[in-house]
Amino acid sequence: MDATTSTEFILRAWREFATRNPERIAAILTPDIEWLAPPHNATARALDGISHLIGRDRVVHFLTTEFPAVFVADRQVDFTAVTATDTTVVVETRMRATLMNGRPYDNDYCFIFELSDGRIHRVREYMDTQRAQEMFDGNGFRQNG
């Protein structure tokens, strides 16, 4: 893939994630995919502390079951920047949603997608963890450690 093709692939991947269709999502991931987020980020804490997902089945489960259980409604992702090489795509986004505790969520993210053999092999996710924590605090958020 060249940079343009890589960019188009990742933008299509976001549309696939939004379908919550396990087969469609699995088709764009390598079997040994890793998804890494900051330890103790608010989403991970809501999901019993899990911030490093390993394997296609685990990532598919997160995207189709756990993510929608945390961000329950009004999910909107706006892309603010996309930069790519042949095998790496950096995506800056703003995500808004309604949380499982009924509170509004609004945070900026940076995702670094690493591609291998035309699929997503690794995702590194960054966000303002303090801001997220403030939005998660309240009813419905489980405190884990």
Side-chain angles (χ1 to χ4, degrees), residues 28-96:
I28 60 172
L29 308 175
T30 63
D32 59 345
I33 184 174
E34 291 185 73
W35 192 301
L36 300 99
H40 309 296
N41 73 74
T43 306
R45 292 181 63 192
L47 299 172
D48 295 324
I50 300 165
S51 64
H52 184 177
L53 308 175
I54 301 172
R56 180 186 291 151
D57 291 343
R58 182 65 188 97
V59 172
V60 168
H61 180 73
F62 170 75
L63 292 171
T64 61
T65 303
E66 294 170 328
F67 180 85
V70 174
F71 300 96
V72 297
D74 308 314
R75 289 180 292 275
Q76 179 180 340
V77 176
D78 297 314
F79 294 88
T80 55
V82 179
T83 305
T85 67
D86 296 352
T87 59
T88 303
V89 181
V90 179
V91 179
E92 293 180 64
T93 67
R94 176 181 179 195
M95 186 176 84
R96 289 173 277 189

